[in-house]
Amino acid sequence: MSAALARQVLHRMPQEVFDVYIEPLVRVYGWHFQTEDASAAFTAWRGILGGQSLKCIANLSWKRQELTALHTAFHPDSKFRVGILIGQNMKGQAIRTNIADTKARFLKARRFIARTAKMPTPPVLMRTFSGYLILDGHHRIAAMLSLSPSAGFTFRAWVGSK
């Protein structure tokens, strides 16, 4: 029932974005929001939504886009998280994380990208004035950037814009 309610609240979101970004997390954290006006503050969803309000995410216009893989294209918060993942998984830096299988996820994505020059699943991003905010796909983006792709490397992503 909670996935159905989430789908109702996020009815403008493409089904593919909902399926890869929201639905798996509803199974873990539940969905307690009746409307897009509900507050996600003080819940796990605040972080999942990239610090954005539920109303903001619910009202994004979505488009699948081809983007160039450049570290500079990302929002500062996303650059920081990607840097942590690369440091932890490539340089052996001891960093606490709440994701149990973080190294396996990172390495699986890295092997796939190295073999195919494609993302296993398009990441979900939000366009901001400060760059693309990663909503879903931190491990995939970190894996891609850890391979030091040439300036011509592109990837497909779902991009939400205000």
Side-chain angles (χ1 to χ4, degrees):
M1 174 64 177
S2 57
L5 181 57
R7 189 71 195 120
Q8 185 179 352
V9 172
L10 300 171
H11 66 276
R12 292 177 197 88
M13 183 178 279
Q15 188 66 47
E16 183 181 346
V17 175
F18 184 85
D19 290 348
V20 300
Y21 171 38
I22 300 295
E23 198 274 331
L25 296 167
V26 168
R27 282 186 266 138
V28 174
Y29 299 104
W31 185 267
H32 311 285
F33 313 110
Q34 302 295 315
T35 69
E36 66 186 36
D37 294 315
S39 174
F42 309 109
T43 72
W45 284 97
R46 183 178 188 283
I48 293 166
L49 299 174
Q52 306 299 308
S53 70
L54 186 55
K55 186 172 197 141
C56 173
I57 298 296
N59 286 294
L60 292 174
S61 296
W62 293 94
K63 188 174 171 185
R64 203 158 179 185
Q65 293 183 295
E66 193 83 14
L67 302 173
T68 302
L70 296 173
H71 188 265
T72 56
F74 295 98
H75 185 280
D77 292 347
S78 294
K79 287 182 205 177
F80 178 75
R81 290 182 69 181
V82 163
I84 286 173
L85 286 168
I86 292 171
Q88 181 181 30
N89 294 299
M90 295 299 297
K91 300 174 184 171
Q93 296 172 352
I95 300 167
R96 282 187 37 178
T97 179
N98 62 346
I99 301 172
D101 61 347
T102 189
K103 186 161 190 140
R105 290 172 65 186
F106 175 87
L107 293 175
K108 181 179 177 184
R110 193 170 195 274
R111 284 190 299 270
F112 183 91
I113 295 164
R115 189 176 72 251
T116 67
K118 295 180 182 176
M119 287 282 193
T121 305
V124 178
L125 312 174
M126 180 179 159
R127 183 188 319 268
T128 73
F129 290 115
S130 301
Y132 292 104
L133 180 66
I134 303 170
L135 299 175
D136 180 71
H138 289 87
H139 287 81
R140 286 169 271 154
I141 298 284
M144 175 189 61
L145 293 174
S146 76
L147 291 166
S148 301
S150 67
F153 184 84
T154 60
F155 66 98
R156 293 187 60 100
W158 279 102
V159 179
S161 301
K162 292 183 182 182

